């Protein structure tokens, strides 16, 4: 069954600029494995096609790695298609969950929660480090737009 991360109370959220969700550490690894296992029941992952994830995240692949407790590898899989999962895991409206095959007979997998759990763990474990360029040309460029393409270009 679907068991998504709870939101903080609206009255609490009005008082600060903190996260909408409770900290991802509030969820047990057992529950994350359960959600990842639900993803493994899928035969055709529409979640990562044009009807699901607009950036084609490899959702079944990172969910399988979470199921196997291979979190660092799950981060690598997520970063193959997503330059900024720390943003998208929080602000994306999650069309992948609408396209989730599990949702045809039950509730969809908590894909969005899994994505930001990966990146939150990566920051906690120190796997995310700055990657300054080895050589700077001294030239400047302009990136027009702040959508996924503009952010990827800036990265």
């Amino acid at each position: 069954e679907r068991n998504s991360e709870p939101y903080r109370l609206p009255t609490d959220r009005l008082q600060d600029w903190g996260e909408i969700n409770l900290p991802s550490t509030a969820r047990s690894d057992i529950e994350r494995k359960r959600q990842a296992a639900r993803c493994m029941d899928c035969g055709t992952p529409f979640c990562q096609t044009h009807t699901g994830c607009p950036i084609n995240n490899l959702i079944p692949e990172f969910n399988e790695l979470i199921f196997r407790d291979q979190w660092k590898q799950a981060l690598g899989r997520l970063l193959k298609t997503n330059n900024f999962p720390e943003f998208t895991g929080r602000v994306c409206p999650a069309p992948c969950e609408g396209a989730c095959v599990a949702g045809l007979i039950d509730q969809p997998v908590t894909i969005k929660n899994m994505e930001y759990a990966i990146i939150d763990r990566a920051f906690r474990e120190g796997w995310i480090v700055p990657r300054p360029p080895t050589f700077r040309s001294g030239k400047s460029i302009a990136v027009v737009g702040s959508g996924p393409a503009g952010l990827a270009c800036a990265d």
Side-chain angles (χ1 to χ4, degrees), residues 9 50 75 111 121 149:
L9 293 173
H50 67 283
L75 172 67
I111 300 167
R121 180 171 286 205

mmCIF file of all heavy atoms in Angstrom, residues 9 50 75 111 121 149:
data_model
loop_
_atom_site.group_PDB
_atom_site.id
_atom_site.type_symbol
_atom_site.label_atom_id
_atom_site.label_comp_id
_atom_site.label_asym_id
_atom_site.label_seq_id
_atom_site.Cartn_x
_atom_site.Cartn_y
_atom_site.Cartn_z
ATOM 1 N N LEU A 9 2.218 20.272 9.490
ATOM 2 C CA LEU A 9 0.938 20.967 9.650
ATOM 3 C C LEU A 9 1.006 22.348 9.006
ATOM 4 O O LEU A 9 2.017 23.049 9.164
ATOM 5 C CB LEU A 9 0.589 21.108 11.126
ATOM 6 C CG LEU A 9 0.285 19.823 11.875
ATOM 7 C CD1 LEU A 9 0.126 20.113 13.369
ATOM 8 C CD2 LEU A 9 -0.971 19.192 11.318
ATOM 9 N N HIS A 50 7.414 9.374 -21.768
ATOM 10 C CA HIS A 50 6.878 10.714 -22.022
ATOM 11 C C HIS A 50 5.555 10.963 -21.291
ATOM 12 O O HIS A 50 5.162 12.106 -21.106
ATOM 13 C CB HIS A 50 6.703 10.946 -23.525
ATOM 14 C CG HIS A 50 5.637 10.088 -24.141
ATOM 15 N ND1 HIS A 50 5.846 8.753 -24.428
ATOM 16 C CD2 HIS A 50 4.373 10.364 -24.486
ATOM 17 C CE1 HIS A 50 4.736 8.254 -24.940
ATOM 18 N NE2 HIS A 50 3.824 9.207 -24.992
ATOM 19 N N LEU A 75 21.975 6.928 -6.055
ATOM 20 C CA LEU A 75 22.301 8.329 -6.334
ATOM 21 C C LEU A 75 22.925 8.451 -7.720
ATOM 22 O O LEU A 75 22.534 9.329 -8.504
ATOM 23 C CB LEU A 75 23.258 8.878 -5.276
ATOM 24 C CG LEU A 75 23.826 10.265 -5.574
ATOM 25 C CD1 LEU A 75 22.730 11.316 -5.533
ATOM 26 C CD2 LEU A 75 24.940 10.603 -4.600
ATOM 27 N N ILE A 111 7.109 7.652 -5.622
ATOM 28 C CA ILE A 111 8.325 7.910 -6.394
ATOM 29 C C ILE A 111 8.979 9.223 -5.974
ATOM 30 O O ILE A 111 10.197 9.284 -5.768
ATOM 31 C CB ILE A 111 8.009 7.921 -7.905
ATOM 32 C CG1 ILE A 111 7.446 6.573 -8.334
ATOM 33 C CG2 ILE A 111 9.252 8.285 -8.708
ATOM 34 C CD1 ILE A 111 6.805 6.567 -9.711
ATOM 35 N N ARG A 121 19.868 11.601 1.668
ATOM 36 C CA ARG A 121 20.876 10.693 2.214
ATOM 37 C C ARG A 121 22.254 11.035 1.633
ATOM 38 O O ARG A 121 23.261 10.994 2.348
ATOM 39 C CB ARG A 121 20.537 9.242 1.915
ATOM 40 C CG ARG A 121 21.593 8.296 2.500
ATOM 41 C CD ARG A 121 21.210 6.873 2.427
ATOM 42 N NE ARG A 121 20.183 6.605 3.412
ATOM 43 C CZ ARG A 121 19.955 5.416 3.930
ATOM 44 N NH1 ARG A 121 20.674 4.381 3.559
ATOM 45 N NH2 ARG A 121 19.001 5.239 4.804
ATOM 46 N N ALA A 149 16.329 22.570 -18.608
ATOM 47 C CA ALA A 149 17.393 22.709 -19.597
ATOM 48 C C ALA A 149 18.378 23.808 -19.195
ATOM 49 O O ALA A 149 19.594 23.636 -19.295
ATOM 50 C CB ALA A 149 16.811 23.011 -20.975
#
